[in-house]
Structures are given as C-alpha cells and as structure tokens.
Amino acid sequence: MSYISLVFLVFLVCLLAVYVLTPNKYKWVVLLVFSLIFYASNGLDKMAFVLSTSVVVYAASRRMQNIWREYDKLAKNRKYTPEEKKQVKQQYTAKSKRVLVLALLVSVGILCWCKVGIKAVGLFNSLTGNSLALKIIVPLGISYYTFSSVGYLVDIHWRAVEAEKNYAKLLLCMIYFPQVVEGPIPRYERLLPQFDKLTFPDYDRFCKGAQLALWGLFKKMVVADRLGIFVNAVFADVNAVGGSVFVIGLIFAEFQFYADFSGCMDIITGISDVLGVKLDKNFDRPFLSRTIPEFWRRWHMSLFNWLKDYIYMPLLTSHGLGKVRKKLRKHCSAEMAKKLMAIIPTACVFLIIGLWHNVGIMYVIHGLYWTVLFTLSSLFENKIPALSERLHIHTDSFGFRCFQSVRTFALVAVCNITVLTKSMGNMFTVCKSMLTSIRPWLLLDGTLYTYGLDRANCVLSVILVVFLLAVDIVQERCVIRDRIARCNIFVRWTVYFAGIFAVLIFGIYGPGYNAAAFIYQQF
Amino acid sequence: MKKRHIWLRVVVFCLWGGVLFAVVQEVLTPDWRYPKMDFGPEYMLREFETLDSKDDIQALFVGVSTSEFSIDPMRIYEDAGVATFNLSSPNQPINASSALLKLAFEKVKPKYVFYEVSTLFTGFDAAPYHWLFDSMTLASKAPLASAYAQNYPKEKRVDAFIDAYFPIYQYHERWKELSKVDFQILQEEKNLYRKGNYSGIKVEAATVTVDLMNEIADANYNNTLWKNEYIKGTLQTVIGESPGANGKRLLNTDVPERNIDTLLEMKTLCEENGAELILMKIPQINYPQYDSSWPRLCSDRVKAIAEECGIRYLDLLYDFDCAIDFGTDTNDGGTHLNYLGSIRITSFFTTYLQNILSCSPAYCEDYDEDLPIFDAVCRLEDLSTTLDLIPYLEELSGWEDVTVFFSASDDMMLNLSPESRQALNDFGLQTDFDTLSYNDSFLAIKENGQVVYEASSNQRLVYNGQMRNGIPYTVTSCGWRLGSESKIIINGSNYSQNSRGINIVVYDNVSGLVLDRVSFDTYAGNQRAERTVYTDLREYEEYLMRLDAENGIGV
C-alpha cells in the first residue's frame, strides 16, 4: 500500500473514523491494529520476519533489563569495595553483552540475509558452478525497523533507556505505519511515551498536519515524479546523451531525490501529526548547507544521527583506536591525531550508508567518496578561514555563502552519478562526456525536450525547482505553516486549494502513468 | 474555536472545494464535439426530460458512428410524424450501448430499439467510453462507468472506475494545451435539434466496391499460411496450417462470447421495458483489414446469431436495397455515409417504421419546435452536396439574402454545355456565353437576387465592390494566357478555390458567413462540383441557434 494510493486514503479515513471513536487510553491499540493491517497489505509472508525480530528484540530487551535490575539490587544491598564493584559490573556487562550480541546476530543477520542473500548465492554459484536458486523475501522497511531496534537494544545495554514492558507497544514502535516504509529511524525512547498521551481530534494539529501532508504530496507527485521522467530518460542510455544534458540530469536528479524523500517524510509526518505522534525530523533544507558535514547534518538526519551514535562514536572512543591515537600523537599534533583517527569511523559510517542503499561496487565508491570529502572537509576546517582572511574574502557575505551552497550542491550532485549510472563503465562515460563533450547548444536546440518531458513540462520543472528552493530559503527564516496559520481565512483557503489543485492538475498520475514508488522505499 | 464552528468550516471548505473541483475538471476535460452541439449522452438524456410524455419517443437507435451519421430522426419525424432518437456515438462498445439503454429507459418508453451490429465483433477500447461519459454528470454516469470498469481485470477496476468517474484523472495533463474554448464552461443550453444525428457533407467516394471487399474477405478467410524459401537457389514452398487453425485466419468473423451475452442482456432489458430489440447494419465498405468493412461473412455470422437469439436483423447492405451510391453517398471513402446517404437510409427507416412496424404519427412539441432550424440547415446541406452545375444553380436561385460570386479561371468554355449556359442565363447572368472564347476572363456578382456586376473580357478582370452591409470585396478573373487565376476576396480573405472553370462563392448577407465555395471544371468532361474546403455546417448551426434563441420563435 503506497502512501500516495487511493487505497491508502481509504485506509486513512477508516483509521481516523475508528480513532476518533476510541477512548484516548486505547488509541495506541488502534494504531497497532492499523499498522499491522498496513504491513500485512504489503504481503502476509513479510509479517513473519518483523514479528520474529520484534519477539527477539522484546525478549532480549527484557532479559537485559532483568540483568541490570539484578545488578542494581546487588549493588544496592551488598557493600562492595570499588574493585569488587567494578568486577561485578564487568560480569553483568558481559552477561548483558552476550544477550545483546545474540539479539543483534539475529536481527542484523536477517537484514544482511535479505540485503545480500541473492548476491551471495549468485557469487557462490559463479564460483562453484552450481545453480542454486533462491527466493528471498525482503520485508517492508527492514532496514528502518532493524536499525531502530538495534539502537533500542544498545541503549538498554548502555542503560540509557528502560526496556518497554508491553510487547504490543514495542511492536507498534517497530511497525508504526507512517514510518515503517521510509523512516525516519525512530528512537523508541521518544516514540514510546507519546503512545500513552494520544488525543484526537485536535483542529490545529489536523490543519497543520494536513498542510504538511499536502506539501509532501506536491513534492512527490508534482516535482519528484516529473523530474524523475527526465532523469530516467537521460540515464537510461548514457552513450546517447551530451555532457550538458547530463549536467541538467544531475541537477534534476538531486532535486528529484530530495523532493521524493522529503516529500514522503512530509506526508508521513503530517499524517502522524494529525494522529498526535511527533516524528523525528529527517530533512532540514539540505541544499542550503555550506559544507559537506553540514549537508549530512541536514540530509537523512535520522540515519546519520543513528550511525553517529551507534557506529561512529563507539568506534572513535574504542580502546583499539585510542591506542593508535596515542602512537600518532608522537608524530603530529593532538588535534591532527584526533582528526586522522576519525577517518576510520567516518569510513565505516559512509560505507554503511553506501551499502545500505544497495550492495555493489558502485555503493562502495559512493561511501568512499563521502569519506574522502568528509575527511578533507574536517582536515581543512581550520585552514579555510585563515586562507579566506588572507585573500580578503568576507566569509559571511551573501555571495560567498551562495558559492559555498552551490559548491556543496555540486559535490552532492557528482556523487549521485554512482547511484544513477549503476556501473563503472557508465559512470566513466558520464564523467567523460561532461568533461570533454559538454555541447551547451543541446540545451537550446530542443534536444532537452526529447527526454520524456515536452517543452511545457521542462519549463514547469525549472519553475518547480526554483520554487522548491525558494520555499527552503523562506523556511530558513520562518516557519511557513505558522505564517499561513496567522493569515485570514481567505488567504489560508486559497493556499490550501492552490496546493490541492496543483497536485490534481500538475501531478504525475493517471491511466497513462504508473505512480512511481518512493525511491527510498527500496532501501 | 467552538466545535460547531469547526464542523461548519469543514463543511463549507469541502463544498467550496467540490465546486472548484467541478470547474477545474470541466475546464480540463476536452469537448469532444463542437461547442454548443456537444450531444454526448448526458445532453441526449437531458433532452428526453423536455418531452411531454415518456411514450413520445417510439424508437431508439444505438451503436457506432455509422448509425450516428446515417439515421436522421428529425427527417423521420418530418416525413412520418414518428419521433425517434439516435443515441449512437463513435465506436460505441456493445456494453456501453446496453448501459446507455438502461439510462434511456428510465426516461422514455420506446417500442423499438435498433442496435447497429458493428461492435459485436470488437473487443475493448477505452476511447469510445470517454466520448460517452466524459461529458456526463457524476449522478448519471454510474452505469457507463461500471460497464467501462468491467473491461479491466479485477485489480484495475477501481482505477478504471475513477478514470470513468473523474475525467481529471485522465486529462489533468491537458493543462499545457488549454485554450480559450476550454474556459467557456458556462455555455447556454445545448440544442439537440438533430436528435442525435451527425450530418456529414463531404463527398468522398469509396475506394473499394462491395464485390471487391467480399472477394478479398473470402480470400483472407480461406487463406492458408505459406512461406517461399530459396535454399541455395531452389524454391521450396512450405504450406502451413489449414485455414482457421489456431484462429489464424486473416479475417476474423468470431464474435466474443461476452458480446453475445451483452446482446442477450440488451434483449432482456428491452423486453422488460416493453420494447423490441432489432439488429441493423448500416451500409459501409472498406478493405477487410479495417473494422469499417462489412463483408458478407460477417453479415452471415450476425444473421446466425440473430436467428439463435430470436432477434430481427436488417442488413441494409445485403438484404435491403437502399440505393446507396458509394461514389457519392459517403463522407470518408465508405466508412460513414454523408448527408446524401443519410437521406436514403433515413427514408428506409421511415418506411420501415410506418409500414412494417406500424408506428403511427404522433405530435411531439419538442420536435416541432426544432423543425425550423432543421429545415434551414438541411437547405444548406442540400446546396453543399449538390454535385452538378445546373441543379446547383437551380438550388441557389431559391436563396435570398445571399451574394453569389462567380469568377472564371483558366478555361471555362471548352465543355460548358448549352444547357449549362442556359442555366447560367436563367440564373440572371446576361453574358452571351456562346461568344466567349476559351481564354477569356469572366466574373459576376449577384446580390440579393440582383446581378450587380458582370463582365467578360480577353483581359484580366478585377472588380472592387461593397455589399449592402458594407463588407468590401474584390473579384479577380484571369483566363488561360492571362494568368489562369481566380480570386474572390471578401473582407480581406480569399474564398475562391482558384480551380479551372467556374469558381463560385456563396456569402450569407445576414449572418456574414460564407455558405459554400465550389468550383465546376467546365473545361473537362466531368463537371462535378469540387470542394477543397467544406462548408462549416457547425458555424451555420450555431448562428441559427443563436438567432432562434434571440427571437424565441424559431428561425
């Protein structure tokens, strides 16, 4: 069931009808039932995976909680010397760790099997000459619920959160329907308490949530799917396209990814707002970023934060890297040693991001590209201001900020080549074409209109891209939704109807089209 | 905010949204027909509501466009006093015909329903449905939408139903091609004075004869698959499967079971409503690879089905002589009959309804009111489909309030018969045509029955004048050796066909419309009228309707 399908609309109306009639205390049950229905609508066979993972996570979390409760009881009742206390804690940490590792092996194992199973069997077949056939079911949102449950288990192990007693509520956290398809990767400690305080209806919340969902729908159906037609056509046969068309294709692709992913986030955040559940922010106007690290703080924030908390920081503060850092300090400054040591966890984070998209050499390149950029950015972080000062560049001027944003945008666009071309050969063809055969006249002689979008649609696409950017710039200064809410009813309704009819008229849908699935759904 | 106010606000928001939605949908949905004559089923069915009694309509016609072009209910009414209605539409699928009948039976009680059988042989095509339901209101399109959705597999039926119910789903991409016409959504009431008939005045002879069509059809039906191969220079002919094996005949005369079921449903529906279903086939010819051909094999198949189902079948191509001349009576090379063909077919049905089905004349106020417009349009159709010079001049002499321009080009004299010369003189021209030479120029202007200027010369002739309504014109004539040119410029636009012989333009002084532009090649032996641009009948109809609406008393 897609978020932009008619069936989903019917589903939502039914949910709201039941939701409004259910007492506040039991509203979470309604959410759980409808989340299960939503999940089951994508295939009953996939339910087994998510249910088994949830059982493992619940059992492990309860077991770890009990271990730590036992430890607390022991530490409270007996009088240990600090040395003994440390020893006992180590014992219990080891116990908890065993449970954690076991749970992680199961849940991450399922994820890995689903993600790389087919490729692994293919590789095995090619190496051994066997013809082993395998059908792997990829459960809906497996990456999202696995990552969130891993975070939850690690937090319990670290004693940052308490384990949830109610299995049903934990299951709801994992498969809460607005976030199960494309995230954001939830933090259960923020999500769980909200299920106990659900209220409905709330007029203001409803209006603002509906506005956000409409804006998301606009981004997905009007902007992303329109740009997608062009991007798919351009990168379908890279040998027949001129360099300048690739440039436009890359720019459109970047806006397509953004409009698609953030559009979905807005739809689900809006829906969840209506239901009274606040979801984590996943995008924060990334195209206004001035540096690469800032871009990653604004793009797919929930994934990046998760990786930072559960991969980057543990690795950076690990015993092994600490030893290496000490050795490095003998050869360079402490600051430099710290930055050099950050390369390994950074590489791990971006390799995971790359492989999270798909398994393959192109995604390894994707990860390495970001590692290099991120590291360079970090290494030269302090040099740039000094250099700018020497060159008399006002780093706070509007022009320089624009330059920085455009530079960041360009670096991100270049990285997208790896995702769009899907093979090394194609990637080199595109790069070569952009460097040696730019052919700018292709942008003016009508060639652009032969890639799925006619003249009117091309012009509209450019207008939409500018509009999207303008909205982000305005949003940086004020919350547009609040501004709209303060306007009089005539202006408000005009805005709402303009949004609705923009989707109806300019949306990409109808019998001639297949409404495209959300891009990030496949990850 | 008080709860009551919130609900009120929500309701107003939804209502206002609904109104805007309807307007946007109307703007984006294409008008399949010319403005104000959009006789989609919605308007046809609405027309039934203006009738005094449900029994007024004695017969209905459903089916494809051949029936729409050929059966003229107003002519039947004028000739026999029997009110009928034509619900046919382009490529109308059989289950759409059935759904239309369901809707029609809610409003009228005809005694006879004639179904044109062409679509018995065809499968599903979405476009004809859109012709039907795109202009219908949400309330009335349910049966058609449901019939449309039935053509899709189960999982796609919801999509299809939405597609049918909300044309915006199909046409939202039209935003880039909207023009001024699309925004004319608040038009005055449609006038269906033709009661579902669409008149074509083009004359385009068929390129195939009935015999040739059948000959090819028989060959296609009996065709055996073969392949000639030259292997190292030696011919080897491989004879394939026998005809009909695996359904591989080049001519398919199979009728899908589903269509037969629908036919039986239609029969039952008619019986339940006290009507008799009669199958009919309007004459049409084409090469058998086209759907618009009608070989005898298909006719025989329908005959067998009709017999099996106990339904009467009238094949007007093979079983009844309607005197159709496929050289002159077709609008587009045999597929649709034109005005001339329509007169013959309508005449058949008039007689059939009167004599065989014993329909008695009954006064119908709505039909009577529309007769003046109908007669006026038919008069123009008569003129625009007259093919020979002498009858054309005779027809034209009955027209008042028109200006007729004559301009000769090249050689108009070589084969201008004495009868034609006399007819020209009888029309009021004074030139002695016997004295003109093959390379002379000639022009004449006759306004409101009076010849205002006439000239012939062995030099180039140019005459500038002004009509009584102040419209300027320039007429030029150049004979052979003088440039072979004809120009009839009225108010800045040249309407002459500039063909060899006599070029004629008929201008309506009251409406300001050019009614006809024709040329007769009086140099050649065959002096049949040539029209490269056909009369804009729709423009004239609109003018008459406007006039009718303004006067309120008919034309």
mmCIF file of all heavy atoms in Angstrom, chain B residues 377-393:
data_model
loop_
_atom_site.group_PDB
_atom_site.id
_atom_site.type_symbol
_atom_site.label_atom_id
_atom_site.label_comp_id
_atom_site.label_asym_id
_atom_site.label_seq_id
_atom_site.Cartn_x
_atom_site.Cartn_y
_atom_site.Cartn_z
ATOM 1 N N VAL B 377 -30.992 24.160 -41.855
ATOM 2 C CA VAL B 377 -29.674 23.514 -42.011
ATOM 3 C C VAL B 377 -29.710 22.553 -43.195
ATOM 4 O O VAL B 377 -28.771 22.484 -43.987
ATOM 5 C CB VAL B 377 -29.255 22.792 -40.711
ATOM 6 C CG1 VAL B 377 -27.933 22.056 -40.906
ATOM 7 C CG2 VAL B 377 -29.110 23.792 -39.576
ATOM 8 N N CYS B 378 -30.833 21.837 -43.336
ATOM 9 C CA CYS B 378 -30.943 20.890 -44.460
ATOM 10 C C CYS B 378 -30.857 21.622 -45.799
ATOM 11 O O CYS B 378 -30.293 21.099 -46.764
ATOM 12 C CB CYS B 378 -32.272 20.130 -44.390
ATOM 13 S SG CYS B 378 -32.238 18.853 -43.156
ATOM 14 N N ARG B 379 -31.372 22.818 -45.813
ATOM 15 C CA ARG B 379 -31.333 23.597 -47.057
ATOM 16 C C ARG B 379 -29.875 23.859 -47.455
ATOM 17 O O ARG B 379 -29.494 23.732 -48.620
ATOM 18 C CB ARG B 379 -32.073 24.915 -46.812
ATOM 19 C CG ARG B 379 -32.428 25.636 -48.054
ATOM 20 C CD ARG B 379 -33.322 26.795 -47.718
ATOM 21 N NE ARG B 379 -33.435 27.664 -48.861
ATOM 22 C CZ ARG B 379 -33.337 28.981 -48.796
ATOM 23 N NH1 ARG B 379 -33.151 29.580 -47.644
ATOM 24 N NH2 ARG B 379 -33.455 29.696 -49.876
ATOM 25 N N LEU B 380 -29.093 24.211 -46.453
ATOM 26 C CA LEU B 380 -27.677 24.443 -46.733
ATOM 27 C C LEU B 380 -26.980 23.129 -47.101
ATOM 28 O O LEU B 380 -26.129 23.093 -47.993
ATOM 29 C CB LEU B 380 -26.992 25.088 -45.517
ATOM 30 C CG LEU B 380 -25.503 25.360 -45.679
ATOM 31 C CD1 LEU B 380 -25.232 26.283 -46.866
ATOM 32 C CD2 LEU B 380 -24.908 25.979 -44.413
ATOM 33 N N GLU B 381 -27.373 22.055 -46.427
ATOM 34 C CA GLU B 381 -26.777 20.750 -46.736
ATOM 35 C C GLU B 381 -27.116 20.333 -48.165
ATOM 36 O O GLU B 381 -26.274 19.771 -48.877
ATOM 37 C CB GLU B 381 -27.273 19.698 -45.745
ATOM 38 C CG GLU B 381 -26.636 19.854 -44.378
ATOM 39 C CD GLU B 381 -27.285 18.967 -43.323
ATOM 40 O OE1 GLU B 381 -28.511 18.770 -43.380
ATOM 41 O OE2 GLU B 381 -26.576 18.508 -42.452
ATOM 42 N N ASP B 382 -28.363 20.637 -48.562
ATOM 43 C CA ASP B 382 -28.761 20.337 -49.949
ATOM 44 C C ASP B 382 -27.851 21.064 -50.921
ATOM 45 O O ASP B 382 -27.376 20.493 -51.912
ATOM 46 C CB ASP B 382 -30.218 20.763 -50.175
ATOM 47 C CG ASP B 382 -31.202 19.793 -49.545
ATOM 48 O OD1 ASP B 382 -30.841 18.608 -49.414
ATOM 49 O OD2 ASP B 382 -32.312 20.213 -49.157
ATOM 50 N N LEU B 383 -27.625 22.343 -50.624
ATOM 51 C CA LEU B 383 -26.791 23.149 -51.511
ATOM 52 C C LEU B 383 -25.358 22.615 -51.527
ATOM 53 O O LEU B 383 -24.743 22.450 -52.589
ATOM 54 C CB LEU B 383 -26.796 24.611 -51.029
ATOM 55 C CG LEU B 383 -25.951 25.577 -51.854
ATOM 56 C CD1 LEU B 383 -26.614 25.842 -53.205
ATOM 57 C CD2 LEU B 383 -25.739 26.889 -51.118
ATOM 58 N N SER B 384 -24.845 22.318 -50.319
ATOM 59 C CA SER B 384 -23.431 21.923 -50.196
ATOM 60 C C SER B 384 -23.159 20.525 -50.724
ATOM 61 O O SER B 384 -22.000 20.133 -50.844
ATOM 62 C CB SER B 384 -22.989 21.977 -48.734
ATOM 63 O OG SER B 384 -23.290 23.216 -48.203
ATOM 64 N N THR B 385 -24.197 19.766 -50.980
ATOM 65 C CA THR B 385 -23.961 18.415 -51.504
ATOM 66 C C THR B 385 -24.473 18.273 -52.943
ATOM 67 O O THR B 385 -24.511 17.174 -53.479
ATOM 68 C CB THR B 385 -24.640 17.355 -50.618
ATOM 69 O OG1 THR B 385 -25.973 17.746 -50.374
ATOM 70 C CG2 THR B 385 -23.913 17.160 -49.311
ATOM 71 N N THR B 386 -24.857 19.388 -53.529
ATOM 72 C CA THR B 386 -25.279 19.334 -54.941
ATOM 73 C C THR B 386 -24.025 19.269 -55.802
ATOM 74 O O THR B 386 -23.112 20.073 -55.644
ATOM 75 C CB THR B 386 -26.124 20.566 -55.312
ATOM 76 O OG1 THR B 386 -27.208 20.630 -54.402
ATOM 77 C CG2 THR B 386 -26.646 20.467 -56.730
ATOM 78 N N LEU B 387 -24.004 18.294 -56.681
ATOM 79 C CA LEU B 387 -22.750 17.997 -57.348
ATOM 80 C C LEU B 387 -22.663 18.502 -58.790
ATOM 81 O O LEU B 387 -21.575 18.579 -59.346
ATOM 82 C CB LEU B 387 -22.508 16.481 -57.326
ATOM 83 C CG LEU B 387 -22.409 15.868 -55.913
ATOM 84 C CD1 LEU B 387 -22.326 14.358 -55.988
ATOM 85 C CD2 LEU B 387 -21.205 16.425 -55.178
ATOM 86 N N ASP B 388 -23.805 18.831 -59.400
ATOM 87 C CA ASP B 388 -23.758 19.277 -60.803
ATOM 88 C C ASP B 388 -24.157 20.743 -60.924
ATOM 89 O O ASP B 388 -24.946 21.259 -60.118
ATOM 90 C CB ASP B 388 -24.678 18.403 -61.654
ATOM 91 C CG ASP B 388 -24.167 16.958 -61.677
ATOM 92 O OD1 ASP B 388 -22.958 16.780 -61.874
ATOM 93 O OD2 ASP B 388 -24.978 16.043 -61.429
ATOM 94 N N LEU B 389 -23.635 21.387 -61.951
ATOM 95 C CA LEU B 389 -23.795 22.832 -62.076
ATOM 96 C C LEU B 389 -25.254 23.259 -62.215
ATOM 97 O O LEU B 389 -25.718 24.168 -61.526
ATOM 98 C CB LEU B 389 -22.975 23.346 -63.274
ATOM 99 C CG LEU B 389 -23.033 24.840 -63.540
ATOM 100 C CD1 LEU B 389 -22.512 25.645 -62.358
ATOM 101 C CD2 LEU B 389 -22.248 25.212 -64.793
ATOM 102 N N ILE B 390 -25.989 22.569 -63.079
ATOM 103 C CA ILE B 390 -27.363 23.030 -63.351
ATOM 104 C C ILE B 390 -28.235 22.905 -62.099
ATOM 105 O O ILE B 390 -28.852 23.905 -61.680
ATOM 106 C CB ILE B 390 -27.963 22.287 -64.565
ATOM 107 C CG1 ILE B 390 -27.111 22.608 -65.801
ATOM 108 C CG2 ILE B 390 -29.428 22.660 -64.773
ATOM 109 C CD1 ILE B 390 -27.416 21.787 -67.017
ATOM 110 N N PRO B 391 -28.276 21.736 -61.451
ATOM 111 C CA PRO B 391 -29.067 21.686 -60.211
ATOM 112 C C PRO B 391 -28.550 22.647 -59.142
ATOM 113 O O PRO B 391 -29.317 23.179 -58.348
ATOM 114 C CB PRO B 391 -28.926 20.252 -59.739
ATOM 115 C CG PRO B 391 -28.141 19.521 -60.728
ATOM 116 C CD PRO B 391 -27.744 20.430 -61.827
ATOM 117 N N TYR B 392 -27.242 22.882 -59.162
ATOM 118 C CA TYR B 392 -26.671 23.780 -58.162
ATOM 119 C C TYR B 392 -27.230 25.185 -58.352
ATOM 120 O O TYR B 392 -27.644 25.837 -57.390
ATOM 121 C CB TYR B 392 -25.136 23.792 -58.278
ATOM 122 C CG TYR B 392 -24.455 24.579 -57.186
ATOM 123 C CD1 TYR B 392 -24.229 24.025 -55.931
ATOM 124 C CD2 TYR B 392 -24.045 25.894 -57.389
ATOM 125 C CE1 TYR B 392 -23.625 24.748 -54.905
ATOM 126 C CE2 TYR B 392 -23.442 26.628 -56.385
ATOM 127 C CZ TYR B 392 -23.229 26.045 -55.140
ATOM 128 O OH TYR B 392 -22.630 26.773 -54.126
ATOM 129 N N LEU B 393 -27.263 25.611 -59.620
ATOM 130 C CA LEU B 393 -27.779 26.963 -59.898
ATOM 131 C C LEU B 393 -29.266 27.044 -59.575
ATOM 132 O O LEU B 393 -29.749 28.056 -59.057
ATOM 133 C CB LEU B 393 -27.519 27.331 -61.363
ATOM 134 C CG LEU B 393 -26.033 27.553 -61.719
ATOM 135 C CD1 LEU B 393 -25.868 27.681 -63.226
ATOM 136 C CD2 LEU B 393 -25.485 28.786 -61.009
#
